[in-house]
Amino acid sequence: MDYRRSYVKDIFSLAPGSEVDAYGWVKTRRDSKGVSFVQLSDGSCFQDLQVVLEAGAFPEETVKQLTTGTSVRFRGEVVESPAAGQAVELKATQLEIYGIADATTYPLQKKGATMEFLREISHLRVRGNTFGAVFRVRSEAAYAVHKFFHERGFRWIHTPIITASDCEGAGAMFAVSTSLEATGHGDDAQWKLKSADPTQDFFGKPAFLTVSGQLEAETMALGLTNVYTFGPTFRAENSNTARHLAEFWMIEPEMAFCSLEGDMKLAEEFLRYVIQHLLDHCGPDLEFFNQRIEPELLKTLEHVATSSFEHMTYTEAVEALAASGEKFEFPCHWGADLQAEHERWLTEVKVGRPVILTDYPKEIKAFYMRLNEDGKTVRAMDVLAPRIGEIIGGSQREERLDILEDRIEEFGLPKEAYWWYLDLRRFGSVPHAGFGLGFERLLMYVTGMKNIRDVIPYHRTPGSAEF
RNA sequence: UGCCCCUUAGCUCAGUCGGUAGAGCAGCUGACUGUUAAUCAGCGGGUCGUUGGUUCGAGUCCAACAGGGGCAGCCA
């Protein structure tokens, strides 16, 4: 057998009379007197191929084996379908079963299951409508990300996944070590510490999984001008919410000779581009999400793809919240970080679409963000989206050596560890900016899926690393 | 990490006041020349998450544990 070069999706555009093989998994079978209908899917598109098994064409025992989940090849003739629901169907003349799926034990049924149940059978859920659509959209979105940056002259760079600097400052980190040895299996497994001395460890010092490629991306931008990362990122926070993962994919563009204004422009163009690409290339999948997952989805995406985002400063947002008359659980005041309820009000009630907030108090943002003239705020921006909250966080970076050194000191960070980061400001420093975008959060936004664990094949969250 | 909720048939769920268990779908048997979550008739299917407690009696009340989920914080 060769790898597949044609798929179920291609069969729909074949001329009636064509003879083809259709490979895939049975989604359902309907029997009538003398005729059976099989819905066949190979994941290549949302629509199933209807395969018609006419009376006497195959032994009854064989047809009965075609239960949900069975893998099969049909050979047959493409014919115009006399019934509604599909333009063409396959009149089967040959049938080969690769692997049966016992209907009494196969967990997927044709009727809907809950997302929570499907998550527990993540290895099988991709065969269903919802997750087939999710992972087609995920793939297409990833392609659109690369296409967007490539068309604008950005270089895709690969920043390290293992980092020995614990100073990225974006959250709790997973240690990477060969000093620990696992003994036993399952519930009996134990860690054995071979050495507590980091100098005896693999890298000769403590090492971690990256929480952000930003600092390294900055070094690459100050040579290649426009770069982006797109890769896995790890946070060891004990976050138990529908929008946090311990392992997720992040996109981080970084631009030299660019201010926060350019950064915001890129963020907006980027989101609109990806959404438009998906509207153009994933129509049936998005249509399904619109019908079954999120009723306002298509309306929202079409609106976002064609209209500009609302811009507000943090200070304006705080004023709007104060004047809103809403009863918030946590009242908001200047200097405090916005709570989820505040973000929701801004995006869902006040604006009704994504909003970009800028110029946050320096105390609640990272040390590397460029200090404003007022000495109180920094050139930060967050893109907040309805339903999702923060989807992008970015800033113009502090390019002035003396101020950056002061900021590192204010944060109580070890200056020596940043020697190479500070070198960027010593040698040919330049205004530059960038942002980080959580790929899975973007996918939640474009699919309407409610839990981030359902837009990645196998989620890693506290207490959960199955598969 | 804090607060809260859930766990009953393969799946989705009912189960009243504590009195020994129900439906739909799936499966099986049959009916129906073309269905689209096909339809119709019949049949089988349960250690009520686990352990302990209260009680004459626990799916139901209590506790611990396990698994799943929601909200919040941390963030992308």
Side-chain angles (χ1 to χ4, degrees), chain A residues 60 66 100 112 137 139 142 151 175 194 261 303 317 412-413 426 447:
Chain A
E60 205 178 313
L66 300 172
I100 58 158
V137 168
S139 167
E151 285 172 2
K194 290 194 289 189
E261 281 65 31
H303 180 64
L413 297 167
R426 286 191 186 98
T447 59

Side-chain angles (χ1 to χ4, degrees), chain A residues 132-168:
Chain A
V134 164
F135 295 119
R136 278 189 299 275
V137 168
R138 186 179 170 114
S139 167
E140 201 59 40
Y143 175 66
V145 167
H146 287 298
K147 197 158 170 273
F148 172 85
F149 286 120
H150 189 83
E151 285 172 2
R152 282 158 185 76
F154 283 64
R155 305 299 181 177
W156 184 25
I157 57 162
H158 305 114
T159 52
I161 288 169
I162 296 174
T163 171
S165 82
D166 60 357
C167 50
E168 287 168 345

Side-chain angles (χ1 to χ4, degrees), chain A residues 40 72 96 100 137 169 190 214 237 243 261 274 309 378 455:
Chain A
L40 188 76
V72 69
E96 180 180 4
I100 58 158
V137 168
Q190 295 267 305
Q214 183 200 310
E237 312 287 353
R243 57 186 188 282
E261 281 65 31
V274 173
F309 295 2
V378 289
V455 294

Side-chain angles (χ1 to χ4, degrees), chain A residues 112-122 125 131 242 449-451 453-454 459 464 467:
Chain A
T114 60
M115 294 297 166
E116 293 78 20
F117 171 71
L118 292 170
R119 201 174 297 148
E120 289 173 46
I121 52 162
S122 293
R125 66 179 179 173
F131 289 93
M449 296 296 283
K450 303 292 182 289
N451 194 312
R453 298 164 196 190
D454 295 329
H459 70 273
S464 183
F467 304 103

Side-chain angles (χ1 to χ4, degrees), chain A residues 379-394:
Chain A
R379 299 249 73 193
M381 66 140 180
D382 282 2
V383 180
L384 309 178
R387 293 202 323 266
I388 316 298
E390 184 177 345
I391 195 166
I392 287 180

Side-chain angles (χ1 to χ4, degrees), chain A residues 107-277:
Chain A
L108 281 175
Q109 303 297 339
K110 77 168 97 176
K111 268 211 170 178
T114 60
M115 294 297 166
E116 293 78 20
F117 171 71
L118 292 170
R119 201 174 297 148
E120 289 173 46
I121 52 162
S122 293
H123 59 308
L124 297 173
R125 66 179 179 173
V126 68
R127 299 184 190 184
N129 284 338
T130 303
F131 289 93
V134 164
F135 295 119
R136 278 189 299 275
V137 168
R138 186 179 170 114
S139 167
E140 201 59 40
Y143 175 66
V145 167
H146 287 298
K147 197 158 170 273
F148 172 85
F149 286 120
H150 189 83
E151 285 172 2
R152 282 158 185 76
F154 283 64
R155 305 299 181 177
W156 184 25
I157 57 162
H158 305 114
T159 52
I161 288 169
I162 296 174
T163 171
S165 82
D166 60 357
C167 50
E168 287 168 345
M173 305 177 94
F174 288 102
V176 175
S177 172
T178 53
S179 288
L180 282 175
E181 195 172 39
T183 58
H185 298 283
D187 294 341
D188 298 327
Q190 295 267 305
W191 284 123
K192 196 178 115 203
L193 185 60
K194 290 194 289 189
S195 168
D197 178 3
T199 67
Q200 298 303 304
D201 207 339
F202 189 89
F203 296 105
K205 51 181 161 179
F208 307 90
L209 293 178
T210 183
V211 292
S212 167
Q214 183 200 310
L215 303 191
E216 290 89 345
E218 285 185 47
T219 69
M220 297 296 279
L222 268 62
L224 294 175
T225 301
N226 285 336
V227 301
Y228 70 104
T229 71
F230 185 5
T233 309
F234 307 86
R235 302 272 167 94
E237 312 287 353
N238 194 2
S239 300
N240 287 287
T241 79
R243 57 186 188 282
H244 287 88
L245 291 167
E247 175 183 288
F248 64 100
W249 286 61
M250 189 151 68
I251 296 148
E252 295 176 291
E254 192 70 38
M255 298 91 74
F257 309 102
C258 182
S259 67
L260 189 69
E261 281 65 31
D263 200 26
M264 287 192 283
K265 192 165 173 235
L266 183 83
E268 209 172 313
E269 260 180 52
F270 172 83
L271 287 174
R272 287 218 295 268
Y273 181 97
V274 173
I275 287 170
Q276 188 60 55
H277 181 91

Side-chain angles (χ1 to χ4, degrees), chain A residues 50-72:
Chain A
Q50 174 158 283
V51 180
V52 184
L53 312 176
E54 288 185 331
F58 305 99
E60 205 178 313
E61 311 83 70
T62 309
V63 174
K64 278 182 146 173
Q65 286 187 297
L66 300 172
T67 56
T68 304
T70 296
S71 52
V72 69

